[in-house]
Amino acid sequence: MVLPTGEASGWVAVRNGAVVEVAESPLPGERVVELADDEVLLPGLVDTHVHVNDPGRAEWEGFATATRAAAAGGVTTLVDMPLNSVPPTTDLAALALKRAVARERIHVDVGFWGGAVPGNLGNLVALHEAGVFGFKCFLSPSGVDEFGHLDPDELAGALRLLHGIGALMIVHAEDPALVSDTEGRRYADFLASRPRAAENTAIETLIAAARRADARVHVLHLSSSDALPMLAAARRDGVRVTAETCPHYLTLRAEDVPDGATRFKCCPPIRESANQDLLWRGLAEGVVDCVVSDHSPSTVELKATGDFGTAWGGIAGLQLGLPAMWTEASARGVPLAEVVRWMSSAPADLIGLRHKGRLAPGHDADLCVFAPDETFTVDPAALHHRNPVTAYAGRTLRGVVRSTWLRGHEVSTEPRGRLLVRGLA
């Protein structure tokens, strides 16, 4: 099993949905579950970056399919983004609607981010008090009209407010002045339209604003390795900034994306292998804190257009993050315990989920039974995602999730997930 201290053999005792003891020797119990020789017990993963798109665009995903896919991928907790649902989670009414839609349909535990958009500054305190885990904003157009982006002055005002209430701002950081429109089938053209400089400049702006406001900020889906030195320097200076990256940036490479293969389109884009190597170094050195999916699916009709200008920009990878990461990590000599830390305890710590992300007494008995040496070939039609399209199609991945347990119960067809509230989770 993978413990906070590393890999070990032993036994885990569970009572009333929580881990009560971890021991080297067998423990008594009403029921005993023994793992096969090729299986490892992991804490359930925590994915703090998922677009469920429900209500309003449930044909893109939805709570039932998203949480089934999460469980099939070893994810026991996810936090839903405030877009691309309709309405977006930018006021109390939208949050209440989203919770009502999710409540009886979720197979894993689910929390919610609020949204910070132009004109809703007056809603943020109420959303914070209602238990969202923080607020997401964009510094460039989001891709949907109902979720606008903040200009530098609006960002500064929001950060001053969030500093006062102790809330976290998570940020899609690309500079709109450095992003250009593109069209056509060539991936090289799309990549050039969203250069590293767009991320670097926006992150520089964010760091400066966070420094002035003494606000806590988090950079979403980092793809530009150029930004790593400025993030490291800002943290040394005391700026409260953290960062995440995603499995697709760590496992997929621009050189391998065929023209017309719009299943690979995401924003910011998948970059070159040399850039990827530096992202891995940033993780190893602690400049990047965690790895989360940024699962952002759509219908096949919107995604598989063959035109990088018109296709929806998002990777469907919620079910595949762990095997994708382990495939690449094991090839690079990175131990499984590190992957688990990046994908479980680190995102739980980011949002203050004190009882998630670790195999340790007092934590929820959220468990993943993982066969790290078994391989499989990705068949999109076999995934639990609502739409059978993913950038990992046809790839052979290492590591199979054989079962997932939520608070001591194996996840099955019966929804057992709970809605999570910041401060009470």
Side-chain angles (χ1 to χ4, degrees), residues 288-366:
V288 180
D289 300 86
C290 54
V291 178
V292 291
S293 70
D294 190 11
H295 178 67
S296 184
S298 70
T299 62
V300 176
E301 292 75 20
L302 288 172
K303 186 63 178 172
T305 68
D307 184 331
F308 282 98
T310 61
W312 176 253
I315 300 294
L318 179 58
Q319 187 172 336
L320 299 169
L322 176 57
M325 278 293 294
W326 176 235
T327 301
E328 186 72 22
S330 59
R332 292 174 178 265
V334 177
L336 182 58
E338 279 291 271
V339 174
V340 170
R341 182 172 65 82
W342 295 330
M343 302 185 77
S344 191
S345 60
D349 291 347
L350 173 73
I351 60 172
L353 284 174
R354 297 182 299 275
H355 304 301
K356 300 287 189 182
R358 291 173 174 84
L359 287 181
H363 285 68
D364 287 354
D366 297 345

Side-chain angles (χ1 to χ4, degrees), residues 133-145:
F133 283 88
F135 297 91
K136 179 177 187 176
C137 74
F138 278 73
L139 303 186
S140 59
S142 71
V144 292
D145 292 340

Side-chain angles (χ1 to χ4, degrees), residues 5 25 52 75 118 124 150 210 223 232 236 244 263 283 331 341 346 389 418:
T5 53
S25 303
V52 179
V75 176
L124 302 189
L150 302 183
S223 81
R236 287 195 299 270
E244 68 184 39
R263 65 185 182 276
L283 269 170
R341 182 172 65 82
V389 57
R418 295 177 180 172

